[in-house]
Structure formats: structure tokens, C-alpha cells
């Protein structure tokens, strides 16, 4: 008997039918032909650049939309500072004020650095889902009011914190700030909603008005979408970090969980200032091989959050196994910089085996520094690859846990400390 998808969600019948069309049975994966990557170690630098540009243009035109330009004016304003975590860290908060075509948008960045640092430090950077106060147990982190959005459906909602103390520190385990700091890294974050609220009607609460009229944004010819807006937010945070004399601008590590892992991969492929790209459970349109029909499919993404993509990607609904581009091609563009992909055994909708297969296929872009092609399936709790590319899988569900940070920090320390 076929397992019902999302049994706890009480979905309307038409939506439940779409959910149930996702394949969660490994033995039922239909035949597919993985696409070859187009960047290989033996190519000249010019050929690699040409092929990378083609891949990025394809994904921009057919999937994520373009990442808008930097903007005409950008200001970095430090708004707060102080000691944190019993004196082991310095907390700094910044406003990144972005202005374009007379319209401004402010991104609020939270940054922790080791208090005992005597030289420039490498820095982790990631977007958070619910607001800066929700990812740290530090009581001094500033709360920024939001414009809450109504639930677009019974199973999707705007989870950002509404008040200063609501959900404070509830996702601190996903960030492990103290552990990261004690290993000698800085760590920074900003809320996804600063760049683009995760809601299909959220044109005004984000960066889109800096670059597009509302008619342009809502038209079938829309040029950008939410994942590109989040990648843009990460890139503006990189602008700030590389301006700070205590951050090593050559060692900025961008990470993200789930949809924000998709954004991290898209940012890492486009911005060569990013030294390492980290994906936690990013699944379809992230680190998973799309042509492998398992877990979330294009029909579900269209139903779930079509605002993440540009119009036209719907043509791949029911055509997943024949898509003309795939995620291993995008991840290969990150070479020769570092790539780290993590999955969870029970995260079936993200297809952990598909994430591994895509990472392994992309590894050819790194040659001997990638993952060996003879590895068929990773063992939970063990990572594969310790040079430029690493894949890690743990037991458990869709999340980023302290176990993830233990493995990631060992890998990052090998290369950046």
C-alpha cells in the first residue's frame, strides 16, 4: 500500500493527490539518465568560465531567475556591539542599507566573532527563517518588527517571530554559535525576510521594488524570484563581511538549511568570493538530482512555492526525468572552491540518496579532490570526501543538528584554520 504523503497536514483532496504523486519508494524510481557536468579539471580556465556562464544563464532563465545587481548605493552601519556567551564572543549588529532607483531596503546582520582572536578569522554566513532573535540564546540580540503575512494555506505559514521574546533562541541548536566560536570561526546571520518574505504575495516586503515594478514582478515575464532574492541577500552580507578588517575575506563560508540551502548553492555558484558552500537537506532544486524521480518533484514545488522560481519552470511538471539541466551541473560551477552537502536518512522528501548522487557527479569538476565514483551509498554518521568536496549523512529528520556542525567544523578547520 502506497504511503500517504504528509499524513499530519490534513491537506485538501486536490493537494493531497499532488502530494501522493511524489515517489517515496526506492524500488519505484523510474529509469533516468544523469546529465554530465560541463566543467572538468583538464579544461582551460577560459573554457571553464564559458561553460560556467552557460550553466548559470540556464538556471537563471529557466529556474531561479536572475540575481539582481549589487545596487546603486550600499551603506554599512554598526548599530550595536557587546560581549556575549560569557565573554567568549563579541556581538556586533549591522544595518546593510541598500538603495536602488530611489528605493531602500535594510538587511539586519548579526555577527559573532571570537573575543580572543589575534588575527583575521574565517566566517560562516547563513540566512535564518524566523528572525535573528530566534537563532541565539544571547538575550541582547535586537528584535526587528515585521509585517506578518496571512497563511496562504493551512499547511504553510509565516513563522517569523512577532514580538521580542516570542521564539527567542528556539533555533539556536541549528547555529551552535558557541561551538563555532570556540573553534576559531566567526558566524553571521540575517533573516530571509529581510531580502524576501517567504510568501507568494510578498513583493513589497523585500528587495524586488529596488529593481522591478509590481507589474513586472507579477507578470509571466518576471525576471527574478525568491531564491534569487535570498542569494542576493547573502551576497550583500558578503559585501559587508569583506569590508571588516577582522574577517578573512578569503574564507567566507555560506550555508543554508532546506530552501535556504537552495539559496546557498545558488549564491555559491554565482559569487566566487564565497570560499565554501554548505547545503543542509536542501533537496529538490538544491543538492538533489532532479532527474531522479524520488521525493519532492516539480509538481509539488509548483504547488508548494512557485514564487521561489520564475514562470515557465512549470513546463517540467511531469517531465522531471527529462529536465534539460540538473543540480550536479550547478554544483560543479562551485569548483575549485569547497563544497559540503549534508543529508538526513529519514528526510525522504529531500531524497538523501539523490543528494549524494548529485554531489558525487559534481565531484568530477574537482578531479582527485572530489568524491570517489565507486562509492554507491554513504553510511549514516560517516562523511565521504575530505579534500575539496564532502558529503555527510546522519540519522534523523529534516534539520540541521549539532551533529552536523561537529562534522562540518572538522572539515572547515582542515581547510581554513
Amino acid at each position: 500500500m502506497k504511503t500517504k504523503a504528509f499524513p499530519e497536514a490534513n491537506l485538501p483532496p486536490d493537494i493531497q493527490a499532488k502530494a501522493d504523486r511524489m515517489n517515496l519508494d526506492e524500488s519505484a524510481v523510474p529509469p533516468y539518465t544523469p546529465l554530465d557536468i560541463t566543467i572538468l579539471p583538464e579544461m582551460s580556465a577560459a573554457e571553464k568560465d564559458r561553460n560556467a556562464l552557460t550553466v548559470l544563464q540556464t538556471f537563471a532563465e529557466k529556474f531561479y531567475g536572475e540575481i539582481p545587481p549589487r545596487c546603486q548605493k550600499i551603506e554599512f552601519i554598526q548599530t550595536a556591539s557587546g560581549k556575549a556567551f560569557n565573554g567568549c564572543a563579541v556581538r556586533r549588529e549591522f544595518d546593510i542599507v541598500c538603495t536602488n532607483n530611489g528605493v531602500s531596503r535594510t538587511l539586519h546582520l548579526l555577527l559573532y566573532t571570537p573575543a580572543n582572536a589575534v588575527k583575521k578569522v574565517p566566517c560562516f554566513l547563513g540566512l535564518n527563517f524566523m528572525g535573528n532573535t530566534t537563532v541565539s540564546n544571547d538575550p541582547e540580540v535586537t528584535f526587528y518588527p515585521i509585517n506578518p503575512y496571512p497563511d496562504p494555506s493551512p499547511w504553510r505559514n509565516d513563522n517569523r517571530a512577532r514580538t521580542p521574546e516570542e521564539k527567542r533562541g528556539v533555533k539556536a541548536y541549528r547555529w551552535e554559535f558557541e561551538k563555532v566560536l570556540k573553534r576559531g570561526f566567526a558566524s553571521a546571520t540575517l533573516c530571509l525576510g529581510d531580502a524576501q518574505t517567504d510568501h507568494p504575495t510578498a513583493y513589497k516586503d523585500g528587495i524586488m521594488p529596488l529593481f522591478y515594478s509590481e507589474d513586472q514582478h507579477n507578470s509571466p515575464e518576471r525576471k527574478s524570484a525568491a531564491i534569487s532574492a535570498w542569494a542576493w541577500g547573502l551576497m550583500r552580507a558578503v559585501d559587508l563581511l569583506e569590508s571588516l578588517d577582522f574577517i578573512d575575506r578569503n574564507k567566507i563560508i555560506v550555508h543554508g538549511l532546506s530552501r535556504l540551502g537552495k539559496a546557498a548553492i545558488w549564491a555559491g555558484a554565482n559569487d566566487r568570493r564565497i570560499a565554501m558552500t554548505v547545503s543542509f537537506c536542501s533537496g529538490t532544486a538544491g543538492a538533489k538530482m532532479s532527474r531522479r524521480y524520488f521525493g519532492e518533484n516539480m509538481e509539488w514545488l509548483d504547488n508548494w512555492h512557485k514564487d521561489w522560481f520564475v514562470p515557465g519552470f512549470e513546463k517540467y511538471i511531469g517531465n522531471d526525468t527529462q529536465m534539460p539541466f540538473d543540480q550536479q551541473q550547478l554544483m560543479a560551477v562551485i569548483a575549485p572552491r569547497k563544497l559540503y552537502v549534508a543529508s538526513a536518512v529519514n528526510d525522504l522528501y529531500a531524497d538523501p540518496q539523490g543528494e549524494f548522487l548529485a554531489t558525487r557527479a559534481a565531484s568530477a569538476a574537482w578531479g582527485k579532490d572530489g568524491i570517489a565514483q565507486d562509492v554507491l551509498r554513504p553510511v549514516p554518521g560517516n562523511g565521504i570526501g575530505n579534500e575539496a568536496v564532502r558529503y555527510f549523512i546522519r540519522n534523523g529528520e529534516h534539520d540541521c543538528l549539532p551533529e552536523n556542525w561537529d562534522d562540518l567544523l572538522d572539515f572547515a578547520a582542515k581547510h581554513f584554520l
Side-chain angles (χ1 to χ4, degrees):
M1 180 177 177
K2 190 179 187 316
T3 301
K4 179 181 178 181
F6 306 116
E8 72 288 349
N10 193 28
L11 302 177
D14 60 325
I15 304 301
Q16 186 65 58
K18 293 180 181 179
D20 290 342
R21 281 195 284 273
M22 287 187 281
N23 174 37
L24 300 177
D25 180 356
E26 186 70 36
S27 67
V29 175
Y32 66 98
T33 303
L35 294 177
D36 292 333
I37 64 170
T38 59
I39 298 168
L40 296 170
E42 61 269 21
M43 293 177 176
S44 68
E47 190 175 7
K48 289 179 183 178
D49 287 346
R50 284 195 302 271
N51 289 355
L53 181 60
T54 298
V55 171
L56 294 174
Q57 287 177 335
T58 297
F59 275 84
E61 292 170 3
K62 299 181 181 298
F63 211 35
Y64 302 120
E66 67 183 15
I67 299 177
R70 186 174 186 266
C71 63
Q72 294 161 342
K73 182 180 180 182
I74 185 166
E75 298 175 88
F76 308 131
I77 304 169
Q78 183 169 316
T79 58
S81 65
K83 290 294 182 71
F85 306 127
N86 297 315
C88 81
V90 177
R91 176 201 338 99
R92 296 177 179 87
E93 296 180 90
F94 295 88
D95 281 355
I96 306 172
V97 184
C98 305
T99 304
N100 208 67
N101 298 323
V103 181
S104 294
R105 178 73 178 171
T106 299
L107 315 178
H108 305 291
L109 184 126
L110 169 65
L111 171 65
Y112 290 112
T113 55
N116 61 353
V118 295
K119 61 180 182 179
K120 294 183 178 183
V121 293
C123 187
F124 285 95
L125 166 66
L127 296 173
N128 66 72
F129 288 93
M130 299 160 61
N132 293 350
T133 58
T134 69
V135 298
S136 177
N137 290 314
D138 176 2
E140 299 301 317
V141 175
T142 303
F143 169 78
Y144 293 97
I146 65 166
N147 176 27
Y149 273 74
D151 297 352
S153 70
W155 72 98
R156 290 182 289 171
N157 56 72
D158 181 355
N159 281 321
R160 292 174 299 163
R162 265 57 166 181
T163 67
E165 295 310 316
E166 182 192 16
K167 304 178 182 177
R168 186 176 284 270
V170 70
K171 297 299 182 184
Y173 71 90
R174 286 181 175 172
W175 294 80
E176 288 288 289
F177 284 124
E178 291 185 72
K179 183 181 290 185
V180 172
L181 291 159
K182 288 175 182 177
R183 291 293 296 267
F185 293 88
S187 190
T189 186
L190 64 155
C191 182
L192 85 171
D194 287 358
Q196 187 70 27
T197 301
D198 193 15
H199 192 281
T201 65
Y203 164 76
K204 293 181 179 178
D205 285 322
I207 64 159
M208 293 303 176
L210 278 67
F211 304 100
Y212 314 104
S213 71
E214 191 162 8
D215 286 344
Q216 288 174 322
H217 179 72
N218 292 327
S219 78
E221 286 76 41
R222 185 177 75 236
K223 291 184 177 181
S224 191
I227 289 175
S228 282
W230 297 330
W232 186 94
L234 288 168
M235 292 161 71
R236 301 294 72 78
V238 172
D239 291 341
L240 167 62
L241 292 173
E242 70 172 2
S243 76
L244 302 175
D245 59 11
F246 48 86
I247 298 295
D248 190 332
R249 64 185 299 170
N250 297 313
K251 298 177 180 179
I252 295 174
I253 304 162
V254 165
H255 62 95
L257 166 67
S258 193
R259 66 201 66 180
L260 299 182
K262 307 180 204 302
I265 291 172
W266 186 224
N270 277 276
D271 192 335
R272 303 200 72 79
R273 298 174 300 172
I274 295 170
M276 182 161 80
T277 299
V278 179
S279 156
F280 298 118
C281 298
S282 61
T284 307
K288 164 187 157 34
M289 192 176 287
S290 296
R291 280 190 158 210
R292 182 183 137 88
Y293 198 77
F294 188 102
E296 288 184 327
N297 54 27
M298 292 301 136
E299 180 183 36
W300 185 251
L301 288 181
D302 177 65
N303 167 78
W304 173 240
H305 261 299
K306 64 174 61 185
D307 52 297
W308 294 350
F309 309 99
V310 288
F313 95 97
E314 300 95 334
K315 71 181 67 171
Y316 306 119
I317 293 173
N319 195 33
D320 304 57
T321 62
Q322 300 301 315
M323 286 181 66
F325 54 90
D326 213 337
Q327 300 305 116
Q328 66 269 22
Q329 296 176 316
L330 180 62
M331 291 193 291
V333 173
I334 295 169
R337 295 164 294 138
K338 307 298 185 289
L339 173 66
Y340 182 102
V341 174
S343 305
V345 171
N346 296 333
D347 188 16
L348 294 182
Y349 297 105
D351 185 12
Q353 179 67 1
E355 291 185 315
F356 168 67
L357 291 173
T359 306
R360 193 184 70 173
S363 287
W366 284 266
K368 62 181 177 60
D369 290 334
I371 292 174
Q373 293 298 303
D374 58 353
V375 178
L376 298 178
R377 185 179 290 271
V379 177
N382 293 318
I384 296 175
N386 208 32
E387 296 306 323
V389 182
R390 184 167 177 82
Y391 177 85
F392 178 77
I393 187 168
R394 58 166 173 78
N395 289 309
E397 309 291 337
H398 185 80
D399 210 338
C400 175
L401 300 178
E403 181 182 353
N404 290 111
W405 280 103
D406 291 339
D407 188 77
L408 173 59
L409 284 168
D410 286 344
F411 182 71
K414 170 186 167 84
H415 294 289
F416 297 126
L417 292 181

